[in-house]
Amino acid sequence: MYQTIKTDLTEGILTITINRPDKLNALNKDVIEELGKALDEVYENEAIRSAIITGEGTKAFVAGADITEFTDLDANGGSLLAQKGQDLVFSKIENAPKPIIAAVNGFALGGGCELAMACHFRTASETAKFGQPEVNLGLIPGYGGTQRLVQLIGKGKAMELLITADMIKADEAARLGLVNHVFAPKNLLSSTRDILLKIQTKAPLAVGKIIALVNEAATASLSGLSNEIKAFGECFGTEDKKEGTAAFLEKRAAVFSGR
Ligand code: COA
C-alpha cells in the first residue's frame, strides 16, 4: 500500500518505518504524504492503540528533509513546504490521542530530529546522533524544531545546538532530556514495544487526555490548568473510571474498554 514507508500492526502497536535507507530516510514529499496517511490510520483505526516511528536500517532514523527538493523553492514555496509538513505530519503526531514514540535508530538530523521531537517521547539506540544542521544550509528548522527543542532541553542548550549545528550522541541526548531511554541497537524496538505494551494496560481515554494536557503545559499555556479541571471532570463520566476504581477496591487488575 505504501511506497516510502512500511507499517506493521502487532499487539495494538503500529510500527511505522521510514523506508529510504539509501537516502538515509530523508523526508521527501512522498514520505510526508504517506506518513500523513499512516497517522490518519492511527487516529481512525480502533485496533491501533499506540505507535512507533523508526527508520529502516542501522545508519539513520531520518537525516532531514530531502535537500534535493529545496533547489527550486522560493520563499513562498518554503513556507508552503513547512506548513504542509506540519499539518500532515508533525502536529498530527503531537496531538494524536494515542501514544507515539520515536525509536531513533541512527542519525536524527534536521527534520529527523524534529520528527522525533514531535513524538510524545523518544527512545534511542546507542548509535543515534541528533542535531539541527539547517544553519549549515542557510536555513532554519521548519517542522517545529525551534519550539520543541526549547521545550525539551531548555533555552540555552537549544540555542547552542540550533546556531552551532553541533551533533550530539545518544548519551548526551539522554542527559539533556531529549531522549528518555538509550538501548543497545538490537533491543531498541523490543524495549520500545515493552514501554507501549505497559501504557496499553492503562485507561486509553485518560492516556489521551494526559497527552493533550502535557502538550499544553509544554507550551506554557495558562488555559492548561482550566482545561485540566474540565478533562478531569470528563474522566469521572467514563466507564473506565468506574472499572478502574472498582478494580482497585476489589484488588484485581482493571480491564479498560476506552469508553
Ligand atoms: N536529503 C537528501 N539526501 C540526503 C540527505 C538529505 N537530508 N541526507 C543524506 N542524503 C543522501 C546523500 O546525498 C547520499 O545520497 P547518494 O548516495 O545518492 O549520494 C546518501 O543519502 C547517503 O548519505 P552520505 O552523505 O553519503 O552519507 P555520509 O555517511 O557520508 O554522511 C550525513 C551522513 C548524515 C552526515 C550526511 O548525509 C548529511 O550531512 N546529510 C544531510 C543532513 C542535513 O543537513 N539535514 C538537514 C536537512 S534540512
Side-chain angles (χ1 to χ4, degrees):
M1 176 180 172
Y2 295 115
Q3 309 302 314
T4 61
I5 64 172
K6 296 189 296 186
T7 57
D8 168 77
L9 178 58
T10 306
E11 293 179 290
I13 302 171
L14 186 74
T15 301
I16 304 170
T17 306
I18 298 159
N19 189 23
R20 298 182 74 210
D22 53 328
K23 298 294 175 190
L24 306 191
N25 301 319
L27 302 174
N28 65 9
K29 285 194 187 84
D30 293 340
V31 177
I32 292 289
E33 269 165 30
E34 293 196 338
L35 276 176
K37 287 184 187 149
L39 289 163
D40 289 341
E41 278 192 65
V42 173
Y43 275 65
E44 289 158 17
N45 183 347
E46 285 186 8
I48 298 174
R49 299 280 314 279
S50 64
I52 293 174
I53 298 181
T54 193
E56 180 64 28
T58 52
K59 190 166 173 182
F61 171 70
V62 167
D66 191 318
I67 300 167
T68 63
E69 291 184 345
F70 287 179
T71 14
D72 297 330
L73 291 182
D74 59 9
N76 188 43
S79 299
L80 288 174
L81 181 89
Q83 183 73 57
K84 187 172 174 193
Q86 292 207 20
D87 291 348
L88 283 184
V89 175
F90 293 75
S91 300
K92 221 187 266 177
I93 293 172
E94 183 163 64
N95 297 317
K98 304 171 186 177
I100 303 179
I101 300 181
V104 180
N105 54 306
F107 286 114
L109 302 176
C113 190
E114 291 172 294
L115 183 67
M117 291 194 292
C119 292
H120 297 131
F121 59 91
R122 287 141 292 284
T123 58
S125 91
E126 288 158 348
T127 57
K129 287 189 180 158
F130 297 80
Q132 295 288 161
E134 288 86 351
V135 285
N136 290 335
L137 301 167
L139 293 170
I140 66 164
Y143 290 145
T146 60
Q147 305 304 297
R148 295 193 181 101
L149 194 59
V150 179
Q151 291 168 5
L152 285 165
I153 69 172
K155 180 178 171 185
K157 199 65 201 176
M159 187 77 82
E160 182 183 347
L161 289 181
L162 286 159
I163 65 182
T164 60
D166 281 351
M167 243 188 257
I168 56 170
K169 293 181 179 166
D171 55 352
E172 192 180 355
R175 197 175 55 73
L176 292 172
L178 183 56
V179 303
N180 292 22
H181 301 280
V182 178
F183 299 118
K186 68 177 172 32
N187 297 332
L188 176 65
L189 281 182
S190 61
S191 298
T192 305
R193 290 178 59 80
D194 287 344
I195 296 170
L196 286 172
L197 289 174
K198 174 159 77 177
I199 297 170
Q200 286 182 183
T201 66
K202 316 301 176 192
L205 296 179
V207 168
K209 284 181 192 298
I210 287 170
I211 290 171
L213 290 160
V214 171
N215 283 341
E216 203 162 338
T219 54
S221 156
L222 287 177
S223 62
L225 287 176
S226 52
N227 285 344
E228 187 178 86
I229 292 167
K230 184 165 170 279
F232 187 72
E234 283 167 9
C235 284
F236 276 73
T238 65
E239 289 295 319
D240 282 349
K241 177 258 174 187
K242 280 188 203 144
E243 166 63 8
T245 50
F248 174 77
L249 295 171
E250 291 160 20
K251 300 192 187 302
R252 61 174 174 83
V255 181
F256 292 112
S257 64
R259 282 190 288 277

